[in-house]
Amino acid sequence: MRTGKAYLECLPREKSWELWQNKLMSAGYFTDLPTETLPVEQALGRVTAGCTYAKQSVPHYNGSAMDGIAVRAQDTFGATETTPMHLKLLKSHEPFVPGGCYIIDTGDLMPAETNSVIMIEDVHIENASAEIIAAAAPWQHVRIIGEDIVANEMVLPEHQVIRPADIAALLSAGLETVEVVAKPKVTVIPTGTELVARSHDLKPGAILDVNSHMLCAAVTQWGGDAIRHEIVPDNYEQIKQAVIASLATSDMVITNAGTSAGTEDFTSRIFAELGEVLVHGVAIKPGKPVILAFCQGKPVIGLPGYPVSAMLTAELFVKDVLYERQRLPIPAAQQVPAVLARQLSSHVGVEEFVRVSVGTIQGKTVAAPLSRGAGIISSLIKAQGVLVVSERSTGLPAGAMVQINMFNRQQSETVLAVGSHDLALDILGVFLNRRSGKLLSAANVGSMGGIMAVRNNEAHIAGIHMLDDKTGEYNIPFVNKYLTKGNWQLVRLARREQGLMVLPGNPKNIKTLEELGREDITYVNRQRGSGTRMLLDHLVPRTGLRVEHITGYEKEVSTHMAVAATITAGAADTGLGIRAAATALGLEFIPISHECYDILLNFPPGDITAETIITILQTPAFRQEVERLGGYDLAEAGTVLLKM
Amino acid sequence: MRTGKAYLECLPREKSWELWQNKLMSAGYFTDLPTETLPVEQALGRVTAGCTYAKQSVPHYNGSAMDGIAVRAQDTFGATETTPMHLKLLKSHEPFVPGGCYIIDTGDLMPAETNSVIMIEDVHIENASAEIIAAAAPWQHVRIIGEDIVANEMVLPEHQVIRPADIAALLSAGLETVEVVAKPKVTVIPTGTELVARSHDLKPGAILDVNSHMLCAAVTQWGGDAIRHEIVPDNYEQIKQAVIASLATSDMVITNAGTSAGTEDFTSRIFAELGEVLVHGVAIKPGKPVILAFCQGKPVIGLPGYPVSAMLTAELFVKDVLYERQRLPIPAAQQVPAVLARQLSSHVGVEEFVRVSVGTIQGKTVAAPLSRGAGIISSLIKAQGVLVVSERSTGLPAGAMVQINMFNRQQSETVLAVGSHDLALDILGVFLNRRSGKLLSAANVGSMGGIMAVRNNEAHIAGIHMLDDKTGEYNIPFVNKYLTKGNWQLVRLARREQGLMVLPGNPKNIKTLEELGREDITYVNRQRGSGTRMLLDHLVPRTGLRVEHITGYEKEVSTHMAVAATITAGAADTGLGIRAAATALGLEFIPISHECYDILLNFPPGDITAETIITILQTPAFRQEVERLGGYDLAEAGTVLLKM
């Protein structure tokens, strides 16, 4: 029997970072920087390795800064409007004579013995003479040699990021090449027998290697030179050889374990054999199994296999090391205070990184936690930021004030949709972005959760489809019951078909809801509070069947698509859901009912977003795009049903 | 006689931008975006052209989320600590039997008919049986197909910048390529007969083409695909052919005129011949001669020849167009409020862009204007931001509250040095940056300006070398006279040699100050208030000579290096200055006197920067680096002379 993973002591993140940083500093990883020499015009964004000094002055000659005449200033003293003075116009090849002048253009070399320029606008030229009506000061309108940069002067100090204007300055100063800090070479080794490189080789149980591409992109974004190693299977000797070979050619080696158990143990033993393991296991979630080691003078990092864990641990333990190694400024994380939309539980002793959607609702910045699964890459796509929950916390109540580390410093305004999810919402998001530049971020918590989120001003939009068991009416009774005053309005999005999804060919020959009572049929259910669950609970008793008799009634999943996926996988025979979900996964669909999917809009007076959304719902382009999914009727889309 | 430049009406910037933006919008320049298809792993930082939809679900099978045993949940009901249950351990090839279970690792496919995983830590395995002490809920620790992303679901909406995690999501969803917005191709054409491509071809009157490299780098930074055209001389037909050829292969054409008069007129006539000139001349400084045109469906821009003008106008009229064309978010300019350190004059009717150094001094953010010359590329290097002076303003008084548009959002803390400049200050800046990460920014306003800047809390450091005519004492009498209470201290930096600089070989055979009275000798002077000027004015009368008898006494320049450069150019025979300046330009140096170059430090109590600077001044590495310049004695460096 396997003994489970043998973690070394699980260290707090700060302690891990300290050990890591101290080791790298004492080993000279941030000071003995390799450099390379580049043509100046290819050095954009690179960091100067040393101070650069001008090889020539800029300008390199005394030149005119204006179109005009070049004069000797002392010859002009005494000229005024009432006592104009006439200077003799000399040809450019003629030597200077006192009282003479030359026509000169901007940038032209000042003729010998002249030391001042009078602008052409202030000169009256007739025959071979120039009339002036004011004296010229010495060196006026002349660009003196070295006025900008003097030979041997420092042009750029060391460790400066080179910008376009710096390129101009270096070239002007006569430098054709510049020594810059070399990009750190980082090899990323994906390990795991279950990994496959391409999606057409993907069979159940196999995992597509996407992490190595994500990590290489992250390394690139952080200024490094990323090298992706081919996939190495879970074999001690093969992984070891891959690490040894990569150490020889890289400044940093990252292995990314598959999620299967064996790989990570191999990794840690290999690192220990080749050098020193500083940290194995950090008290964070996700990302706990990270390994920080130092082998042959180089940092070697074992990142966990789940994509979210891999990305977050790379940000914690790779990013700043790469920036510092290159002397690139570390981008400061922007923090915003926000109100937590939902209660969050947490374990003492583990620092947790929770992805959140962030939006401003009625003047209040709200953070809505997204899925916390380490495997849910889409949560990283949808998140606007991360909430760090302290290792001393047992959790946070809804409404708590929290600090969110924002992912992008450049934020679009976010419209938060919390409630029952529908594919039409994603399409609404695209149209809204086109019209207003706003970003729609959707969190799926069911219809009831949506109404509550609007009531608490924690959502701009809530998608709901709730059937009142007594009246048979959709949504309006619930909104009237739970919402009182406010700025909300209830708007029709679509009528959509609900039905039973079954495998192609309908192998169990299911036709009606009554048949869910059959012993040979297993059902997959939606969670309590979801509109689909309410529809089922409304309809089933009317057929004479009792829900307790449905096999699988207790198997709850939280989206239409998860119902469809469960059926596709053969883990259930049927489930109730919308046609679009069945279509998406190629299932057959047995229509049972129509329901009204409406949206609650919650924007303050004067905010035109609600208007914009209603307009979008009424446009033919939006309606066609949604109806194309199948099972939708948008004839009433954009109708305001209730307004407060 | 030339008639001067025939500008069309000079338009305000906002009006120019409006005409420009409207033309490009109405021509579909921001909507009909060319696209290209890239392998997903090469799409980092690119912008999705359309919405991307998943080709496969993620995960694509029901898999275990833990190491443990796979069971059928209903078989486990009733297991408790007091009534443990035993499940039969099945081999992976054996078919499922009720009450059976399989050993399963994280990521493994769930065996047929199992629907739940019990963690290995909660299982006691003995012989062929697994003892459990709690019931398993259906689907616990199982990653259900589509839990993350469902086939056909939207993975990324249109016009989204692709980040590392997005690459993972796209690949996971079965996408191997992604359609992205193509990078706009921008051809930059340097024009001007006086331009040369390489610095070894540089003769007086010739100008090194650095702008095209700078502009190509800027285009690259703004996401474009920059193509540098070779230099085109000032010839109507040649420039026209270059524009026509570039239009055929580019999405935007930029010409960059030389500073000589003819080029710009050609440019505007050519644009008018090939299309429509929207704007010729904008009421801004620098950058007035910019030309905005639209030819053959493409924007064509004539940027002015001075590097600062070219860069600022590119930022005004090219940057946002490129961002918008790619649907990249336009980085918001960070604005900071600051106190203006010096009075600024300005002309009504012209909006002026003034480069400034910005630092926080005793709790007050101060902006010190740098050189305003359009040709002073070093001012762009030294600046931390730009102050925009309204076209309605006649100027701003010292102490005015202004808004500064910062260049980089990521700022190092800046130490402002205002006063007399010395090359040793640049070296001090490098050492300070190494120790504290702070950036030293120096503005050269002479010794007296430095004392005043410290008095007004507009400088952290002031370099001074002022000789008291009465006592013959350096610096201390002036500090005592002008500074009262405060946090400042006066610290010795160096004794440095002052002397007369002359051409190699000393052609006029100058040996002493008295000889400045000779008729055949022209002198180049420093500005009033500078320490060198005070030294001259102190020493000359003691030789019996009167300053009025020095030819060129009225020719003022503002730096040691400008004095040296003036002599190198033959525009004066000699001037007083420090040995380092003579050495830099290969001049001969006739020592006249030693002077004390000290620095005033002005940091609040508790700020360790003053300490750090004093420590640096005392280190042998710093002293050697400065003494290497020649003419410096740092034996007393770091000695505190006065303290308040």
Side-chain angles (χ1 to χ4, degrees):
Chain A
M1 172 62 242
R2 271 188 348 92
T3 55
K5 294 168 193 176
Y7 283 109
L8 304 185
E9 188 191 358
C10 227
L11 293 174
R13 176 177 57 86
E14 281 186 17
K15 179 73 189 160
S16 306
W17 174 251
E18 198 186 307
L19 284 171
W20 185 225
Q21 183 80 352
N22 286 348
K23 179 70 195 183
L24 295 176
M25 278 206 309
S26 65
Y29 195 68
F30 301 128
T31 40
D32 303 338
L33 303 181
T35 66
E36 61 181 310
T37 301
L38 288 182
V40 166
E41 56 280 20
Q42 289 168 26
L44 179 69
R46 301 299 294 271
V47 175
T48 52
C51 301
T52 56
Y53 295 93
K55 284 196 174 165
Q56 69 193 20
S57 294
V58 184
H60 59 284
Y61 63 94
N62 293 332
S64 177
M66 291 282 176
D67 298 341
I69 56 170
V71 302
R72 197 167 68 169
Q74 66 215 66
D75 298 345
T76 68
F77 295 159
T80 65
E81 288 202 32
T82 52
T83 59
M85 185 178 278
H86 290 83
L87 300 173
K88 180 177 155 59
L89 213 52
L90 303 168
K91 304 272 176 219
S92 59
H93 61 268
E94 292 180 272
F96 184 75
V97 291
C101 69
Y102 301 89
I103 292 280
I104 197 166
D105 277 347
T106 306
D108 284 354
L109 176 67
M110 291 292 289
E113 302 197 42
T114 64
N115 68 352
S116 190
V117 170
I118 302 174
M119 286 194 292
I120 198 72
E121 294 90 321
D122 298 336
V123 179
H124 180 69
I125 296 200
E126 220 175 274
N127 304 324
S129 152
E131 184 188 76
I132 57 169
I133 53 170
W139 305 105
Q140 82 178 15
H141 306 316
V142 176
R143 298 197 65 209
I144 296 179
I145 184 169
E147 171 183 292
D148 189 354
I149 298 169
V150 184
N152 292 355
E153 200 184 356
M154 195 182 294
V155 183
L156 289 181
E158 61 187 8
H159 304 154
Q160 181 97 348
V161 180
I162 297 174
R163 303 164 300 174
D166 298 325
I167 288 177
L170 291 169
L171 290 172
S172 295
L175 295 155
E176 300 203 329
T177 61
V178 59
E179 200 184 357
V180 297
V181 177
K183 283 172 173 278
K185 287 191 178 60
V186 181
T187 300
V188 176
I189 311 174
T191 71
T193 307
E194 77 283 11
L195 291 185
V196 295
R198 299 180 64 85
S199 56
H200 50 66
D201 301 329
L202 203 54
K203 292 178 185 63
I207 292 176
L208 189 63
D209 165 40
V210 302
N211 287 2
S212 67
H213 297 289
M214 173 180 73
L215 293 169
C216 282
V219 164
T220 304
Q221 196 168 53
W222 301 332
D225 191 355
I227 304 141
R228 182 180 166 275
H229 194 284
E230 61 183 8
I231 295 168
V232 181
D234 283 329
N235 172 296
Y236 189 90
E237 203 48 43
Q238 281 180 270
I239 298 176
K240 182 175 146 188
Q241 290 311 322
V243 173
I244 291 172
S246 301
L247 276 169
T249 56
S250 319
D251 300 301
M252 178 191 276
V253 177
I254 295 174
T255 68
N256 186 229
T259 46
S260 79
T263 322
E264 186 199 321
D265 297 336
F266 281 165
T267 305
S268 130
R269 278 161 51 208
I270 290 162
F271 291 0
E273 196 186 322
L274 297 178
E276 179 190 359
V277 173
L278 302 160
V279 174
H280 182 189
V282 179
I284 52 174
K285 186 179 172 185
K288 175 177 147 184
V290 70
I291 306 167
L292 306 177
F294 197 74
C295 308
Q296 302 173 11
K298 290 164 184 176
V300 180
I301 301 150
L303 294 178
Y306 277 126
V308 177
S309 311
M311 193 65 213
L312 283 178
T313 47
E315 277 170 353
L316 291 176
F317 297 108
V318 175
K319 184 171 80 174
D320 288 5
V321 170
L322 290 183
Y323 279 128
E324 206 168 332
R325 168 86 170 175
Q326 296 166 85
R327 299 297 178 120
L328 282 170
I330 297 175
Q334 197 203 6
Q335 283 211 335
V336 300
V339 174
L340 189 62
R342 285 194 298 286
Q343 178 259 339
L344 256 188
S345 63
S346 185
H347 289 287
V348 171
V350 176
E351 189 181 29
E352 204 169 344
F353 294 77
V354 181
R355 282 86 74 200
V356 293
S357 275
V358 180
T360 300
I361 299 169
Q362 312 263 14
K364 183 172 80 169
T365 301
V366 173
L370 295 164
S371 167
R372 293 159 82 175
I376 306 296
I377 184 78
S378 59
S379 66
L380 217 44
I381 309 311
K382 288 174 185 156
Q384 269 90 44
V386 162
L387 164 63
V388 183
V389 183
S390 158
E391 68 278 15
R392 291 181 301 279
S393 171
T394 56
L396 294 162
M401 279 305 297
V402 291
Q403 290 291 326
I404 306 299
N405 295 320
M406 301 302 285
F407 278 153
N408 300 316
R409 309 192 67 189
Q410 178 75 24
Q411 287 298 319
S412 301
E413 217 180 305
T414 301
V415 171
L416 278 182
V418 177
S420 172
H421 187 253
D422 188 278
L423 295 180
L425 276 185
D426 294 334
I427 295 168
L428 175 61
V430 170
F431 277 75
L432 183 64
N433 187 263
R434 279 184 203 161
R435 288 209 179 214
S436 69
K438 294 187 181 183
L439 205 72
L440 190 134
S441 170
N444 182 17
V445 301
S447 295
M448 201 57 187
I451 291 186
M452 291 302 137
V454 165
R455 186 163 83 169
N456 299 333
N457 269 332
E458 288 157 5
H460 291 110
I461 296 180
I464 58 174
H465 55 118
M466 298 170 86
L467 177 58
D468 183 38
D469 208 24
K470 276 202 295 260
T471 62
E473 197 183 5
Y474 265 94
N475 301 329
I476 294 173
F478 295 91
V479 172
N480 276 327
K481 181 171 173 191
Y482 292 105
L483 294 184
T484 51
K485 58 186 160 50
N487 298 300
W488 54 264
Q489 49 190 321
L490 181 68
V491 177
R492 174 68 28 93
L493 202 162
R495 285 182 186 276
R496 58 182 196 183
E497 281 181 294
Q498 284 272 13
L500 290 170
M501 299 184 247
V502 294
L503 283 179
N506 194 358
K508 293 274 173 90
N509 196 27
I510 300 168
K511 298 238 162 73
T512 65
L513 270 185
E514 285 96 323
E515 289 173 278
L516 297 186
R518 273 166 49 189
E519 289 234 331
D520 64 327
I521 293 175
T522 57
Y523 184 76
V524 54
N525 206 354
R526 289 293 307 282
Q527 84 280 17
R528 235 170 299 248
S530 69
T532 303
R533 173 69 165 266
M534 293 166 97
L535 180 63
L536 184 84
D537 293 349
H538 177 79
L539 294 178
V540 165
R542 282 162 180 75
T543 66
L545 181 67
R546 286 171 57 187
V547 292
E548 303 90 274
H549 294 145
I550 300 175
T551 310
Y553 181 77
E554 72 289 344
K555 290 184 199 169
E556 292 183 358
V557 296
S558 62
T559 64
H560 295 286
M561 293 305 237
V563 170
T566 305
I567 296 161
T568 307
D573 296 316
T574 190
L576 194 62
I578 57 172
R579 183 187 283 272
T583 306
L585 292 202
L587 294 174
E588 263 181 42
F589 183 79
I590 302 139
I592 297 291
S593 176
H594 273 82
E595 63 168 11
C596 300
Y597 182 87
D598 299 331
I599 51 176
L600 268 165
L601 302 179
N602 177 40
F603 294 92
D607 185 330
I608 59 155
T609 311
E611 286 297 307
T612 307
I613 289 172
I614 291 169
T615 309
I616 290 169
L617 297 182
Q618 295 168 345
T619 57
F622 172 76
R623 291 178 172 191
Q624 280 159 24
E625 188 83 12
V626 175
E627 286 175 349
R628 207 176 46 82
L629 296 170
Y632 287 89
D633 172 1
L634 269 79
E636 297 171 83
T639 308
V640 178
L641 306 167
L642 274 177
K643 194 167 181 170
M644 274 296 264
Chain B
M1 172 63 242
R2 273 192 342 97
T3 55
K5 294 170 192 176
Y7 284 110
L8 303 186
E9 188 192 357
C10 227
L11 294 174
R13 177 177 56 87
E14 281 186 16
K15 180 71 189 162
S16 306
W17 174 251
E18 199 187 306
L19 283 172
W20 185 227
Q21 183 80 354
N22 287 349
K23 179 71 194 180
L24 295 176
M25 278 206 307
S26 66
Y29 195 69
F30 301 130
T31 40
D32 303 339
L33 303 181
T35 67
E36 62 180 310
T37 300
L38 287 182
V40 166
E41 55 281 19
Q42 289 168 26
L44 178 69
R46 301 299 294 271
V47 174
T48 52
C51 300
T52 56
Y53 295 93
K55 285 196 174 165
Q56 68 194 20
S57 294
V58 185
H60 59 285
Y61 63 94
N62 294 331
S64 178
M66 290 283 176
D67 297 340
I69 57 170
V71 302
R72 196 168 69 170
Q74 67 214 67
D75 298 345
T76 69
F77 295 160
T80 65
E81 287 203 32
T82 49
T83 60
M85 186 179 278
H86 290 84
L87 300 173
K88 180 178 157 57
L89 212 52
L90 302 168
K91 303 273 175 219
S92 60
H93 61 268
E94 292 180 275
F96 183 75
V97 291
C101 70
Y102 301 88
I103 291 279
I104 196 165
D105 277 348
T106 306
D108 284 354
L109 174 69
M110 291 292 289
E113 301 197 41
T114 65
N115 67 352
S116 189
V117 170
I118 301 174
M119 286 194 292
I120 199 71
E121 293 90 322
D122 298 333
V123 179
H124 180 70
I125 296 198
E126 219 174 276
N127 303 327
S129 154
E131 186 188 74
I132 57 169
I133 53 171
W139 305 105
Q140 82 177 15
H141 305 316
V142 176
R143 298 197 66 208
I144 295 178
I145 184 171
E147 170 182 291
D148 189 353
I149 299 169
V150 184
N152 292 356
E153 199 183 357
M154 194 183 295
V155 183
L156 290 181
E158 61 186 7
H159 304 154
Q160 180 97 351
V161 180
I162 297 174
R163 303 164 300 176
D166 298 325
I167 289 177
L170 291 169
L171 290 172
S172 294
L175 295 155
E176 300 203 331
T177 60
V178 59
E179 200 184 356
V180 297
V181 177
K183 283 172 175 277
K185 287 190 179 60
V186 181
T187 300
V188 176
I189 310 175
T191 70
T193 307
E194 76 283 11
L195 291 185
V196 295
R198 300 177 64 85
S199 56
H200 50 66
D201 301 329
L202 204 53
K203 292 178 183 63
I207 292 176
L208 189 64
D209 165 39
V210 302
N211 287 2
S212 68
H213 297 290
M214 174 180 73
L215 293 170
C216 282
V219 165
T220 305
Q221 196 168 52
W222 301 332
D225 192 354
I227 305 142
R228 182 181 167 274
H229 195 285
E230 60 183 8
I231 295 167
V232 182
D234 283 329
N235 173 296
Y236 189 90
E237 204 47 44
Q238 281 180 271
I239 298 176
K240 182 176 145 189
Q241 290 311 322
V243 173
I244 291 173
S246 302
L247 276 168
T249 56
S250 318
D251 300 301
M252 178 191 276
V253 177
I254 295 174
T255 67
N256 186 229
T259 45
S260 80
T263 320
E264 186 200 323
D265 298 336
F266 281 165
T267 305
S268 130
R269 278 161 50 209
I270 290 163
F271 292 180
E273 194 186 324
L274 297 177
E276 179 189 359
V277 173
L278 301 161
V279 174
H280 183 189
V282 179
I284 53 174
K285 187 179 171 185
K288 175 178 147 185
V290 70
I291 307 166
L292 306 176
F294 197 75
C295 308
Q296 302 172 11
K298 289 162 184 177
V300 181
I301 302 150
L303 294 178
Y306 277 127
V308 177
S309 312
M311 193 65 213
L312 283 178
T313 47
E315 276 170 355
L316 291 176
F317 297 107
V318 175
K319 184 171 80 173
D320 288 5
V321 170
L322 289 182
Y323 279 129
E324 206 168 332
R325 168 87 169 173
Q326 297 166 86
R327 299 300 178 117
L328 283 170
I330 296 174
Q334 197 202 4
Q335 282 211 334
V336 299
V339 174
L340 189 62
R342 285 194 297 287
Q343 180 258 338
L344 256 188
S345 62
S346 185
H347 289 288
V348 171
V350 176
E351 189 182 29
E352 203 169 344
F353 293 77
V354 180
R355 283 85 74 201
V356 294
S357 274
V358 180
T360 300
I361 300 168
Q362 312 264 15
K364 183 172 79 168
T365 301
V366 173
L370 295 164
S371 166
R372 292 158 83 174
I376 307 296
I377 184 78
S378 60
S379 66
L380 218 44
I381 309 310
K382 288 174 185 156
Q384 268 90 45
V386 163
L387 164 63
V388 184
V389 183
S390 159
E391 69 277 15
R392 291 180 303 278
S393 172
T394 56
L396 294 163
M401 279 305 298
V402 291
Q403 290 290 327
I404 306 299
N405 295 321
M406 301 301 286
F407 278 155
N408 299 317
R409 309 193 66 189
Q410 178 76 25
Q411 286 298 321
S412 301
E413 217 180 306
T414 300
V415 171
L416 277 182
V418 177
S420 172
H421 188 252
D422 188 279
L423 296 178
L425 276 185
D426 294 335
I427 295 168
L428 175 61
V430 171
F431 277 75
L432 183 64
N433 187 263
R434 278 183 203 162
R435 288 210 180 214
S436 69
K438 293 186 183 183
L439 206 70
L440 190 134
S441 172
N444 183 16
V445 299
S447 294
M448 200 56 185
I451 291 186
M452 291 302 137
V454 164
R455 187 163 81 168
N456 299 333
N457 269 333
E458 287 156 7
H460 291 111
I461 296 180
I464 58 174
H465 56 118
M466 299 170 85
L467 178 57
D468 183 37
D469 209 24
K470 277 204 292 265
T471 61
E473 196 183 6
Y474 264 94
N475 301 328
I476 294 173
F478 294 90
V479 172
N480 276 327
K481 181 171 174 195
Y482 291 106
L483 294 185
T484 50
K485 59 186 161 46
N487 298 300
W488 54 264
Q489 49 191 319
L490 180 68
V491 177
R492 173 69 26 95
L493 203 162
R495 285 183 186 277
R496 59 181 195 183
E497 281 180 295
Q498 284 273 14
L500 290 171
M501 299 184 249
V502 293
L503 282 180
N506 194 358
K508 294 272 172 93
N509 197 27
I510 301 167
K511 298 238 162 73
T512 64
L513 271 185
E514 285 94 324
E515 290 172 277
L516 298 186
R518 273 165 50 191
E519 290 234 331
D520 64 327
I521 292 175
T522 57
Y523 184 76
V524 54
N525 206 355
R526 289 292 307 282
Q527 84 280 18
R528 236 171 298 248
S530 69
T532 304
R533 173 68 165 267
M534 292 165 97
L535 180 63
L536 184 84
D537 293 350
H538 177 80
L539 294 178
V540 166
R542 283 162 180 74
T543 66
L545 181 67
R546 285 172 57 187
V547 292
E548 303 91 273
H549 295 145
I550 300 174
T551 311
Y553 182 78
E554 72 291 344
K555 290 185 198 168
E556 293 184 357
V557 296
S558 62
T559 64
H560 295 287
M561 293 306 236
V563 171
T566 304
I567 296 161
T568 306
D573 296 315
T574 190
L576 195 61
I578 56 171
R579 184 187 282 273
T583 307
L585 292 202
L587 294 174
E588 261 181 45
F589 183 79
I590 302 140
I592 298 290
S593 176
H594 273 83
E595 65 169 9
C596 299
Y597 183 87
D598 299 331
I599 51 177
L600 268 165
L601 301 180
N602 177 39
F603 294 92
D607 185 330
I608 60 157
T609 311
E611 286 297 308
T612 307
I613 289 172
I614 290 170
T615 308
I616 290 170
L617 297 183
Q618 294 167 346
T619 57
F622 173 76
R623 291 178 171 191
Q624 281 159 24
E625 188 83 11
V626 175
E627 286 175 347
R628 207 176 46 81
L629 295 170
Y632 287 89
D633 171 2
L634 269 79
E636 297 170 86
T639 308
V640 177
L641 306 168
L642 273 177
K643 194 166 181 170
M644 275 297 261

